[in-house]
Amino acid sequence: MTDLSILAERPRIAPMPRARVFNAYLQEMRAECLRYLRNPGFMLPTLLFPTVFYLMFGVFLARPGSEAGRYLLAAYGTFGVMAPGLFGFGVSLAMERENGLLTLKRAMPMPQYAYLVGKMVMAMGVAAGVLTLLVLLAVFVAHVPVTGAQIAALYLSNVPGVLPFCALGLLLGTLVKGQGAPAVINMLYLPMAFLSGLWFPVTSLPKAMQSIAPALPSFHLNALALDAVDIVQVNPWPHIAILAAFTVGVLWLAARRLRKVG
């Protein structure tokens, strides 16, 4: 018979104090942000790709003072915040799985979700940076008639709006290998932007393509962005509910997949 007294005498591992848990999350956030700021291969395309597109179509081609300027600010804002989630999670996770960094992080005495939260904060920070560049171009170069309240509403919708794409990037990072991840994500990123009406209104697409748009998170985020700058008026809650459900569902799938392949 097992001597239960021996088990009772074993020392219990004390839970990590809350202050240390909080500090661990802060350190992981700081490390992720610094790692990506020091990676020009990630930062430059993420910041410049939507900016160059907006310069070409929103600044040089849109008439000053027209609604097209605000439409394109919202649309390219959505286009810009998709990239930090898709590439910041998808490509990096695929590479970290291959080079063993993910295994190392799992072995470290850190809170379970610190890795995920750190990457999400990084993605939101980069999304805010992309949006800031676009707003500066819109206000000071294109002279888009946009108010402070509209700009604040655009930040409120688009910066947290990176989270569904973080979830999608996380799932993709569990499905593809590191070297192939950028190509696979680009094959999803650009068609998703096209079908969601980020370059021109969805109503100008063929009927079959229009039916695809409501299934895409970028379509719902763009609806919120257009509402923020008063191009359209929508009830935001259905779009928020769909984005939240998409984020939770895809995160759940990614977590299951990560336990198998990680």
Side-chain angles (χ1 to χ4, degrees), residues 5-260:
S5 63
I6 295 176
L7 298 177
E9 292 172 1
R10 290 179 181 176
R12 295 183 179 179
I13 299 175
M16 187 181 294
R18 290 184 180 180
R20 290 185 60 188
V21 172
F22 181 70
N23 185 60
Y25 275 97
L26 286 180
Q27 292 301 320
E28 186 66 16
M29 293 176 201
R30 177 178 176 275
E32 286 293 326
C33 291
L34 286 176
R35 188 153 67 96
Y36 284 96
L37 285 172
R38 293 169 179 172
N39 182 1
F42 169 75
M43 288 301 299
L44 289 179
T46 303
L47 292 174
L48 294 181
F49 200 32
T51 305
V52 170
F53 267 86
Y54 184 67
L55 273 172
M56 289 190 297
F57 300 107
V59 175
F60 298 141
L61 296 183
R63 288 181 294 121
S66 68
E67 282 195 348
R70 281 187 289 128
Y71 178 93
L72 291 171
L73 172 62
Y76 281 111
T78 301
F79 180 66
V81 304
M82 291 167 64
L86 290 172
F87 290 93
F89 269 78
V91 176
S92 67
L93 177 63
M95 291 183 173
E96 288 165 9
R97 282 175 47 220
E98 285 192 352
N99 62 25
L101 180 60
L102 184 60
T103 303
L104 175 63
K105 282 184 173 291
R106 284 177 168 178
M108 295 172 64
M110 59 188 291
Q112 182 179 0
Y113 298 108
Y115 172 82
L116 182 63
V117 172
K119 284 190 178 297
M120 284 184 169
V121 169
M122 174 278 301
M124 292 177 71
V126 175
V130 171
L131 199 56
T132 299
L133 286 176
L134 294 176
V135 168
L136 290 174
L137 286 173
V139 173
F140 295 107
V141 180
H143 305 293
V144 173
V146 61
T147 67
Q150 290 170 339
I151 292 172
L154 189 61
Y155 273 91
L156 190 61
S157 65
N158 276 26
V159 174
V162 75
L163 297 180
F165 304 100
C166 290
L168 184 56
L170 185 67
L171 179 60
L172 291 172
T174 67
L175 295 171
V176 298
K177 294 184 178 180
Q179 291 184 346
V184 171
I185 291 173
N186 269 315
M187 289 174 63
L188 183 66
Y189 177 38
L190 299 178
M192 189 185 298
F194 173 79
L195 293 170
S196 299
L198 303 189
W199 298 334
F200 39 77
V202 173
T203 52
S204 63
L205 295 173
K207 291 291 185 182
M209 291 185 177
Q210 290 183 36
S211 64
I212 299 172
L216 303 174
S218 44
F219 170 81
H220 297 282
L221 182 59
N222 193 46
L224 295 174
L226 292 174
D227 181 61
V229 297
D230 295 325
I231 295 296
V232 298
Q233 290 186 342
V234 300
N235 180 3
W237 295 111
H239 297 287
I240 292 171
I242 290 170
L243 289 170
F246 179 89
T247 303
V248 171
V250 175
L251 275 177
W252 179 77
L253 289 173
R256 291 194 64 183
R257 175 70 184 168
L258 193 58
R259 284 196 291 268
K260 294 179 180 179

